[in-house]
């Protein structure tokens, strides 16, 4: 049972998609880049500028710089901005964290008692009660006089000396803050102080929290933080051909410069740079960035990112930009004029779904190919894919398919079937790698070619009716091909293996090159059986197939060079 729970927990973590594979999102940019509060405060219009800032980037700007270092900014915030910042900052997985509330409000208390009172009093009544409920018990004079001296020492008197209250907390920081808060309320609105203490002493924290949770969710949805089911709708495929045809007809392709992907592969970023050069208005550029942030917020529930998690949101936003860029590149065919028109008229969510649809189609084609080739574990992969269980898919690849397909092939599958698809970048001895988001058709082409390469190898396995791990089968076929000029997966005998080890390095190199040429020719001649529907890219697919084949057989070449016989290939397949 414990193992099953652990497996479920791991799969749930992998399902988020933005931290399941090693990749670098880069520093926060756009609305997440931070705000130069020092420069704003030098302006005579500092208050108006601060109060005009959208709450989400304002909050992240404060968090990046540190709220303790931004005390001069806090008095300029509107009451609504403060209330929205509380919505972002003091919750964890839909549960109110009172200690976070105390820490946040305490910054206002460091400014002045009046500032602390004003900010607290403006919060929803349910917030106020949630903060104090369960912490306060109120007594009248008669009850106070009936107490022992030890009990009276724990009680605090209100200014009238007729009402008393006690705090139930062993945390000295909590006690210190609540005493400061009650003191500030008494100082500025004594009637309100008696009222809030009376209500808090009888309120149930759970009821107040549930009410404020609903209010908070409604406000967060205005920023795009939608429930889980609605978040998943962003990943729903869209009719690609309909959109493609509509834009081809409304914006015929023109001759001219084609946007080149940036180093990060983002076609979207190239088009945004061009928009600046074409002198888009600030409002037009703001609208695009606002849509991207809203879309990223909408993905947060599916990606298991909390609103206050700046770094998590930055990772989601980077993936969001990438898939929006992929969709934009696909619809525009690389035509910059059409790309600008699409970016201005199509919503970011639509472009995101175009990118998702391209990937979904590739996923489905490769799964069908794996089923035809009877790859072990393919049937379960198909079931998980149809259910959209991305974390379980990655877990299944690690647990089952990695033993069947080997390291490189399984890492390619992980990138393809991650919730946010990515391409693997193998480094060094190819046992080290990182992943990159798919931000253009060029990036998609790399993943497509990897999929084609895998499909070609699957076809070879299918034709030779091999069973067992693909790496072992191809290594066996490689030795057979060098020695017997026969492509077969049947187990090697000792004589064949000894003949392989007896080859000189020059003979091995010559035979290797001849065998690879034969394989490439065979794959091209049989391509209609494994091309996944991408016939225009078969040569790239064959190159990837041979690259994967070389990586699989590299261990054999090393064994031969070091005169270590690969005896494991003699055993039954």
């Amino acid at each position: 049972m414990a193992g099953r729970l652990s497996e479920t927990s791991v799969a749930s973590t992998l399902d988020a998609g933005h931290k399941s594979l090693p990749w670098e999102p880069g520093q926060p940019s756009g609305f997440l880049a931070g705000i130069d509060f020092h420069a704003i405060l030098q302006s005579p219009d500092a208050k108006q500028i601060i109060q005009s800032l959208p709450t989400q980037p304002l909050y992240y700007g404060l968090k990046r710089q540190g709220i303790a270092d931004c005390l001069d900014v806090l008095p300029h915030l509107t009451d609504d901005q403060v209330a929205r910042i509380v919505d972002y900052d003091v919750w964890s997985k839909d549960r109110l964290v009172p200690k976070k509330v105390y820490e946040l409000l305490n910054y206002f208390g460091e400014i002045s008692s009046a500032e602390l009172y004003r900010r607290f009093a403006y919060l929803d009544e349910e917030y106020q009660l949630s903060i104090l409920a369960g912490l306060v018990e109120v007594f009248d004079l008669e009850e106070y006089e009936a107490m022992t001296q030890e009990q009276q020492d724990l009680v605090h008197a209100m200014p009238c000396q007729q009402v008393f209250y006690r705090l139930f907390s062993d945390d000295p920081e909590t006690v210190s803050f609540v005493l400061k808060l009650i003191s500030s309320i008494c100082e500025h609105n004594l009637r309100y102080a008696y009222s809030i203490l009376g209500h808090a002493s009888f309120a149930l924290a759970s009821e107040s929290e549930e009410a404020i949770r609903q209010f908070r969710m409604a406000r967060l949805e205005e920023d795009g933080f939608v429930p889980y089911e609605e978040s998943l709708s962003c990943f729903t495929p869209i009719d690609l051909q309909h959109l493609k045809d509509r834009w081809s007809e409304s914006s015929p392709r023109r001759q001219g410069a084609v946007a080149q992907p940036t180093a990060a592969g983002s076609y979207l970023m190239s088009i945004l740079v061009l928009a600046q050069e074409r002198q888009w208005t600030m409002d037009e550029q703001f609208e695009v960035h606002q849509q991207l942030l809203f879309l990223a917020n909408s993905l947060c529930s599916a990606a298991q990112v909390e609103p206050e998690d700046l770094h998590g949101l930055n990772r989601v936003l980077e993936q969001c930009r990438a898939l929006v860029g992929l969709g934009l590149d696909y619809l525009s065919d690389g035509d910059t004029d059409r790309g600008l028109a699409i970016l201005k008229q199509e919503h970011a969510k639509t472009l995101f779904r175009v990118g998702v649809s391209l990937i979904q189609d590739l996923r489905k084609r490769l799964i069908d190919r794996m089923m035809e080739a009877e790859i072990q574990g393919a049937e379960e992969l198909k079931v998980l894919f149809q259910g959209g269980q991305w974390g379980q898919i990655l877990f299944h690849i690690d647990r089952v398919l990695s033993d069947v397909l080997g390291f490189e092939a399984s890492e390619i599958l992980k990138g393809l079937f991650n919730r946010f698809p990515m391409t693997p970048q193998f480094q060094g001895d190819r046992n080290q790698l990182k992943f990159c988001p798919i931000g253009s058709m060029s990036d998609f082409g790399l993943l497509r070619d990897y999929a084609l390469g895998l499909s070609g190898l699957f076809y070879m396995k299918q034709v030779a009716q091999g069973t067992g791990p693909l790496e072992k089968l191809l290594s066996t076929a490689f030795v057979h091909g060098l020695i017997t000029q026969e492509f077969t997966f049947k187990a090697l005998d000792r004589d064949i293996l000894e003949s392989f080890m007896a080859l000189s390095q020059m003979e091995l190199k010559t035979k290797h090159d001849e065998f690879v040429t034969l394989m490439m020719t065979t794959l091209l001649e049989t391509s209609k059986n494994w091309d996944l529907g991408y016939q225009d890219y078969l040569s790239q697919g064959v190159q990837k197939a041979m690259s994967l084949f070389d990586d699989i057989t590299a261990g054999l070449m090393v064994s031969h060079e070091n005169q270590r016989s690969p005896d494991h290939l003699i055993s039954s397949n």
Side-chain angles (χ1 to χ4, degrees):
M1 175 65 75
R4 179 62 180 169
L5 289 175
S6 176
E7 175 182 325
T8 302
S9 176
V10 171
S12 176
T13 300
L14 294 175
D15 192 70
H18 64 95
K19 54 183 179 181
S20 47
L21 300 174
W23 69 288
E24 294 297 331
Q27 290 298 313
S29 59
F31 283 130
L32 307 186
I35 298 172
D36 188 349
F37 290 113
H38 177 74
I40 292 176
L41 291 171
Q42 302 306 307
S43 169
D45 300 320
K47 182 176 181 178
Q48 291 83 352
I49 295 173
I50 290 172
Q51 293 185 351
S52 69
L53 294 172
T55 302
Q56 189 177 4
L58 170 65
Y59 167 66
Y60 293 140
L62 291 171
K63 293 286 285 186
R64 281 178 65 86
Q65 191 164 327
I67 298 179
D69 296 325
C70 298
L71 296 184
D72 291 342
V73 176
L74 302 187
H76 297 307
L77 301 179
T78 67
D79 290 333
D80 186 62
Q81 283 175 323
V82 173
R84 299 295 288 268
I85 286 173
V86 171
D87 283 339
Y88 276 94
D89 196 57
V90 303
W91 293 75
S92 177
K93 297 182 178 178
D94 282 342
R95 295 303 306 271
L96 181 68
V97 183
K99 196 168 182 63
K100 286 188 173 184
V101 185
Y102 309 150
E103 292 173 357
L104 179 59
L105 291 179
N106 196 50
Y107 290 120
F108 295 98
E110 292 181 25
I111 298 171
S112 70
S113 173
E115 188 72 8
L116 174 58
Y117 161 71
R118 181 166 73 91
R119 301 308 189 175
F120 175 81
Y122 183 81
L123 295 177
D124 292 318
E125 181 180 317
E126 289 78 10
Y127 258 132
Q128 299 174 25
L129 293 177
S130 295
I131 292 169
L132 296 176
L135 274 177
V136 179
E137 184 177 7
V138 177
F139 308 95
D140 59 24
L141 181 59
E142 183 178 345
E143 291 171 320
Y144 174 76
E145 291 177 342
M147 295 178 181
T148 64
Q149 183 61 48
E150 183 179 0
Q151 291 173 327
Q152 290 180 352
D153 290 340
L154 300 175
V155 171
H156 305 273
M158 292 293 284
C160 65
Q161 298 296 315
Q162 300 293 310
V163 177
F164 305 83
Y165 64 92
R166 177 184 175 184
L167 301 182
F168 292 94
S169 176
D170 296 327
D171 181 12
E173 291 182 358
T174 296
V175 171
S176 174
F177 168 75
V178 174
L179 288 175
K180 181 194 291 188
L181 175 62
I182 294 174
S183 175
S184 72
I185 299 172
C186 290
E187 181 181 349
H188 296 92
N189 191 335
L190 188 56
R191 177 175 296 182
Y192 173 64
Y194 284 105
S195 176
I196 191 66
L197 284 178
H199 282 83
S201 64
F202 293 103
L204 295 176
S206 58
E207 291 182 358
S208 299
E209 181 178 327
E210 175 58 25
I212 197 60
R213 186 189 69 81
Q214 295 180 28
F215 296 150
R216 171 184 181 255
M217 285 305 302
R219 288 190 289 261
L220 288 177
E221 283 189 37
E222 294 176 6
D223 293 336
F225 291 100
V226 296
Y228 180 75
E229 291 75 15
E230 191 172 342
S231 182
L232 291 180
S233 71
C234 298
F235 296 90
T236 305
I238 200 168
D239 188 337
L240 291 176
Q241 196 58 52
H242 172 73
L243 278 172
K244 186 83 164 181
D245 292 343
R246 177 158 65 82
W247 277 105
S248 297
E249 294 169 1
S250 63
S251 180
R253 185 176 180 84
R254 303 177 188 176
Q255 295 294 326
V258 174
Q260 296 297 321
T262 63
S266 174
Y267 182 81
L268 173 64
M269 293 299 105
S270 298
I271 294 297
L272 286 174
V273 169
L274 185 61
Q276 289 181 314
E277 295 174 356
R278 297 286 180 88
Q279 298 184 338
W280 275 25
T281 66
M282 290 300 296
D283 287 344
E284 289 173 329
Q285 295 180 57
F286 179 87
E287 174 64 21
V288 173
H289 287 286
Q290 184 65 46
Q291 283 191 25
L292 289 169
L293 182 58
F294 190 92
L295 175 58
N297 293 346
S298 300
L299 300 173
C300 280
S301 184
Q304 303 173 29
V305 172
E306 295 291 317
E308 82 278 4
D309 184 358
L310 171 62
H311 296 293
L313 180 59
N314 181 48
R315 298 171 76 88
V316 173
L317 181 58
E318 190 77 6
Q319 294 286 356
C320 169
R321 288 180 182 136
L323 284 171
V324 168
L326 174 60
L328 181 62
D329 197 357
Y330 171 78
L331 291 181
S332 69
D333 281 328
D335 185 306
T336 56
D337 291 323
R338 186 188 297 176
L340 287 168
I342 294 171
L343 187 60
K344 186 176 289 188
Q345 296 179 47
E346 292 288 357
H347 196 281
K349 181 178 178 180
T350 300
L351 297 175
F352 180 86
R353 291 177 62 195
V354 170
V356 167
S357 300
L358 288 168
I359 300 297
Q360 281 290 84
D361 182 62
L362 180 59
R363 289 165 171 163
K364 184 179 182 302
R365 292 175 189 232
L366 187 59
I367 286 178
D368 290 344
R369 189 75 209 77
M370 294 174 70
M371 294 288 289
E372 291 172 7
E374 299 182 348
I375 300 296
Q376 180 185 345
E379 188 170 343
E380 185 177 354
L381 175 63
K382 183 175 183 177
V383 172
L384 294 173
F385 169 70
Q386 291 173 336
Q389 300 181 58
W390 308 112
Q392 288 286 356
I393 287 176
L394 296 188
F395 195 80
H396 176 64
I397 293 172
D398 262 338
R399 185 185 57 185
V400 177
L401 291 175
S402 61
D403 290 337
V404 175
L405 303 178
F407 173 73
E408 290 206 23
S410 61
E411 294 303 313
I412 292 168
L413 290 182
K414 285 182 188 177
L416 176 59
F417 287 96
N418 192 48
R419 178 182 291 281
F420 297 104
M422 292 188 277
T423 53
Q425 303 277 326
F426 296 100
Q427 301 172 322
D429 60 1
R430 300 187 72 81
N431 286 322
Q432 298 178 348
L433 81 161
K434 65 177 182 178
F435 288 83
C436 295
I438 303 172
S440 66
M441 288 302 293
S442 175
D443 293 338
F444 176 77
L446 178 59
L447 190 61
R448 176 204 61 225
D449 294 346
Y450 271 129
L452 280 168
L454 288 176
S455 181
L457 296 183
F458 296 158
Y459 174 71
M460 293 164 60
K461 173 185 180 298
Q462 181 183 8
V463 169
Q465 299 181 336
T467 59
L470 186 64
E471 278 193 333
K472 186 174 182 181
L473 290 173
L474 291 175
S475 296
T476 300
F478 177 60
V479 175
H480 271 297
L482 296 186
I483 304 304
T484 68
Q485 287 75 52
E486 179 184 8
F487 189 86
T488 177
F489 293 142
K490 66 183 181 182
L492 299 173
D493 59 33
R494 175 63 63 182
D495 291 340
I496 293 177
L497 201 58
E498 288 179 353
S499 297
F500 169 74
M501 295 302 297
L503 293 173
S504 68
Q505 286 295 310
M506 183 169 292
E507 288 175 322
L508 178 60
K509 175 68 168 58
T510 300
K511 287 181 173 291
H512 168 272
D513 293 346
E514 291 174 350
F515 184 75
V516 167
T517 300
L518 176 62
M519 279 189 63
M520 291 179 67
T521 302
T522 302
L523 283 173
L524 284 171
E525 290 176 348
T526 60
S527 59
K528 65 180 181 181
N529 298 304
W530 58 267
D531 64 12
L532 299 180
Y534 297 105
Q535 295 184 4
D536 293 341
Y537 305 97
L538 286 176
S539 60
Q540 295 97 310
V542 170
Q543 291 294 334
K544 283 293 182 228
M546 298 318 303
S547 175
L548 290 168
F549 181 81
D550 276 345
D551 291 326
I552 288 173
T553 58
L556 282 176
M557 304 293 281
V558 172
S559 295
H560 181 277
E561 182 178 355
N562 296 326
Q563 287 299 295
R564 295 197 305 267
S565 178
D567 293 337
H568 65 284
L569 298 180
I570 297 178
S571 61
S572 173
N573 289 308

